[in-house]
């Protein structure tokens, strides 16, 4: 049944090199958006900003009216917005308006200001402004490609691009390249989502399979991959592939609420497009349950102890690689009650290495130890000489929690109705760091057989885990005894 699903590796990164670069304004990569003090907020101020509804302090943009911020996004002959501003505004603007509404406004401003619709307008003028508008569209399509799954977005993009390209062969080529690249990304995304849907539709509880075909499930993870280091590498493949498909906007869309200044009464649900982010959280949960299943399943105590030691070695290697998400999922699986209650099994395990790992991932002081290790991995990544040293896979649930609290802790708007842009610099800083990490290519060789097992093998449900645990090491008190009887009756159909 599972042989029909082949894990697919999609190599196309979300952010590619800007097209036609020689004629475009130069913008730094994500990793260069940071300076020693944090985020680069020193933006070039256009001449009319002082009276244009934008508020600066020490040359840092702190707030502005939504209209003024949109104006600030649109280039003119003498001005091109800083890349940090483009990223920050495109990321945060969806809290105030739909991306297609923003795109419509940007197109309108480009056409009106630069007189792109005027057949008599100066060709030299258009030559000066066209590369800048094209660069803005390129940055938008490269960094937030999922915005363009909306037909209204695509229509506006093609309309504006067509106006720029008319009469200029170079621009026409660049426009074609940009749109083809975008279509490729969206096609790859659809393919990835189909694979995810196929995997989740075939996932079953392992107990069901054990009851119907016991002999087919005798395989365990060690028979599929005896080397813990190899398993850690294959987990890193899955992590990086799934990270790569999370759009930066998903972090913001997860927290979208009604903007008080927006009179539109429509529901915001269509904005909450966070499927890839959710799929990544589901993967974490699956890995935790897979670990617990593999430990609870063996009948013999020595086999269970061997499985625990195997996963401790896998987790250590994940830590060394910088794959903190798999590491935390493994620890989480080993700390599940059905596993932690197996005292006779744990007595046979050398737990010193596990204690070190638990210390690293200790949640006290707001995960201080983990955050220190993450900073170390991020530092290593910046000075890396190899792809392996570049890997930083954060503990994802904590990253989402940090972004959630940053979002909840500050208002989106100031009392005067201005957009609180200072908040969005911080939000963009966290998300852009993630953008750097998710673009790392996995340096390890793929093992299709191991990936297949990790992604598709059935795992126990929580009840089945408890049943397996009680069958391995009997209940210790009346509560456990009652639960065991009830589970035997409901899951196995016997008392």
């Amino acid at each position: 049944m599972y042989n029909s699903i082949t894990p697919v590796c999609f190599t196309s990164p979300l952010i590619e090199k800007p097209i036609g670069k020689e004629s475009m304004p130069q913008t730094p990569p994500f990793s260069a958006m940071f300076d020693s003090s944090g985020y680069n907020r020193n933006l070039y101020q256009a001449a009319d900003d002082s009276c244009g509804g934008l508020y600066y302090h020490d040359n840092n943009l702190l707030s502005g009216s939504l209209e003024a911020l949109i104006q600030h996004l649109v280039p003119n002959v003498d001005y091109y917005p800083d890349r940090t501003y483009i990223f920050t505004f495109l990321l945060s603007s969806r809290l105030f308006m739909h991306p297609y509404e923003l795109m419509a406004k940007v197109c309108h401003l480009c056409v009106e200001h630069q007189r792109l619709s005027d057949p008599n307008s100066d060709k030299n003028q258009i030559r000066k402004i066209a590369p800048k508008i094209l660069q803005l569209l390129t940055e938008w399509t490269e960094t937030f490609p999922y915005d363009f799954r909306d037909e209204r977005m695509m229509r506006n993009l093609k309309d504006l691009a067509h106006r720029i390209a008319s009469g200029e062969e170079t621009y026409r080529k660049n426009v074609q390249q940009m749109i083809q690249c975008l279509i490729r990304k969206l096609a790859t995304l659809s393919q990835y989502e189909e694979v995810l849907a196929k995997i989740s539709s075939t996932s079953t509880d392992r107990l069901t399979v054990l009851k119907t075909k016991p002999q087919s499930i005798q395989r365990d993870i060690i028979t599929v991959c005896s080397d813990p280091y190899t398993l850690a590498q294959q987990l890193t493949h899955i992590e990086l592939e799934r990270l790569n498909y999370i759009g930066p906007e998903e972090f913001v869309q997860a927290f979208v609420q009604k903007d008080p200044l927006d009179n539109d009464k429509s529901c915001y649900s269509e904005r909450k497009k966070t499927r890839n982010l959710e799929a990544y959280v589901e993967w974490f949960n699956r890995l935790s349950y897979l670990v617990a299943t593999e430990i609870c399943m063996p009948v013999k105590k020595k086999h269970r102890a061997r499985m625990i030691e195997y996963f401790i070695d896998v987790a250590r290697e994940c830590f060394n690689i910088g794959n903190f998400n798999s590491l935390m999922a493994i620890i989480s699986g080993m700390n599940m009650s059905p596993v932690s209650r197996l005292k006779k099994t744990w007595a046979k395990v050398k737990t010193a290495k596990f204690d070190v790992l638990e210390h690293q991932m200790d949640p006290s002081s707001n995960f201080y130890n983990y955050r220190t290790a993450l900073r170390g991995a991020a530092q290593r990544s910046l000075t890396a000489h190899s792809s392996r040293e570049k890997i930083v896979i954060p503990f994802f649930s904590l990253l989402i929690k940090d972004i959630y609290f940053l979002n909840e802790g500050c208002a989106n708007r100031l009392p005067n109705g201005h957009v609180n842009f200072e908040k969005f610099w911080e939000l963009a800083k966290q998300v852009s760091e993630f953008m750097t990490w998710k673009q790392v290519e996995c340096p390890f060789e793929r093992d299709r057989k191991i990936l297949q097992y990790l992604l598709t093998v059935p795992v126990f449900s929580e009840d089945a885990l408890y049943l397996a645990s009680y069958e391995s090491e009997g209940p210790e008190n009346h509560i456990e005894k009652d639960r065991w009887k009830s589970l035997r009756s409901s899951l196995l159909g016997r008392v």
Side-chain angles (χ1 to χ4, degrees), residues 73-242:
L73 180 70
V74 178
N76 60 39
V77 174
D78 307 310
Y79 162 77
Y80 187 80
D82 181 279
R83 187 177 196 189
T84 52
Y85 177 75
I86 296 172
F87 178 71
T88 306
F89 186 64
L90 290 180
L91 178 71
S92 57
S93 61
R94 61 202 69 239
L95 289 167
F96 306 100
M97 63 201 304
H98 291 268
Y100 78 84
E101 293 170 318
L102 177 62
M103 175 58 98
K105 281 182 185 283
V106 167
C107 291
H108 177 73
L109 287 170
C110 287
V111 170
E112 289 300 302
H113 284 190
Q114 314 313 330
R115 297 171 62 201
L116 292 178
S117 55
D118 183 354
N120 304 317
S121 60
D122 180 2
K123 282 277 182 280
N124 277 339
Q125 179 87 347
I126 291 181
R127 259 186 218 109
K128 282 182 195 165
I129 189 62
K132 291 181 174 180
I133 295 174
L134 187 54
Q135 174 67 8
L136 178 66
L137 297 178
T138 302
E139 290 199 33
W140 196 336
T141 57
E142 284 180 346
T143 317
F144 297 95
Y146 303 172
D147 284 352
F148 295 87
R149 295 182 102 176
D150 186 321
E151 282 175 22
R152 296 164 293 192
M153 286 289 286
M154 204 55 124
R155 231 182 0 255
N156 275 324
L157 172 71
K158 286 179 176 172
D159 179 54
L160 184 55
H162 174 71
R163 286 178 193 273
I164 294 168
S166 58
E168 286 288 338
E169 190 52 41
T170 331
Y171 303 145
R172 194 176 295 130
K173 272 189 195 152
N174 285 345
V175 162
Q176 274 176 343
Q177 215 177 325
M178 172 182 74
I179 289 173
Q180 279 167 3
C181 179
L182 174 61
I183 289 168
R184 265 202 311 276
K185 275 182 192 146
L186 296 180
T188 312
L189 173 67
S190 297
Q191 194 188 347
Y192 167 71
E193 287 174 347
E194 278 169 28
V195 171
L196 284 188
K198 202 170 178 186
I199 287 172
S200 68
S201 71
T202 52
S203 66
T204 40
D205 173 11
R206 196 159 190 156
L207 192 66
T208 316
V209 186
L210 272 173
K211 283 184 352 191
T212 52
K213 294 184 289 188
Q215 74 291 346
S216 68
I217 295 285
Q218 291 315 307
R219 282 191 319 164
D220 63 18
I221 191 99
I222 296 177
T223 60
V224 175
C225 176
S226 59
D227 177 31
Y229 299 102
T230 304
L231 192 78
Q233 292 176 358
Q234 298 309 304
L235 287 171
T236 304
H237 261 294
I238 296 171
E239 298 281 354
L240 283 172
E241 177 176 294
R242 296 202 171 199

Side-chain angles (χ1 to χ4, degrees), residues 7-10 234 237-238 241 444-448 451:
V8 176
C9 179
F10 302 111
Q234 298 309 304
H237 261 294
I238 296 171
E241 177 176 294
F444 309 118
E445 201 175 320
R446 289 168 58 80
D447 186 311
R448 200 168 279 278
L451 290 172

Side-chain angles (χ1 to χ4, degrees), residues 270-304:
E270 74 165 291
R271 235 183 270 187
K272 296 198 176 189
K273 296 170 183 156
T274 52
R275 180 71 198 102
N276 302 300
L277 188 145
E278 288 161 24
Y280 191 47
V281 173
E282 283 161 17
W283 154 247
F284 178 94
N285 295 336
R286 173 183 167 76
L287 180 54
S288 297
Y289 272 86
L290 176 63
V291 169
T293 300
E294 295 284 347
I295 294 169
C296 289
M297 213 173 46
V299 176
K300 291 190 175 166
K301 187 166 51 190
K302 65 175 183 183
H303 291 159
R304 291 194 298 274

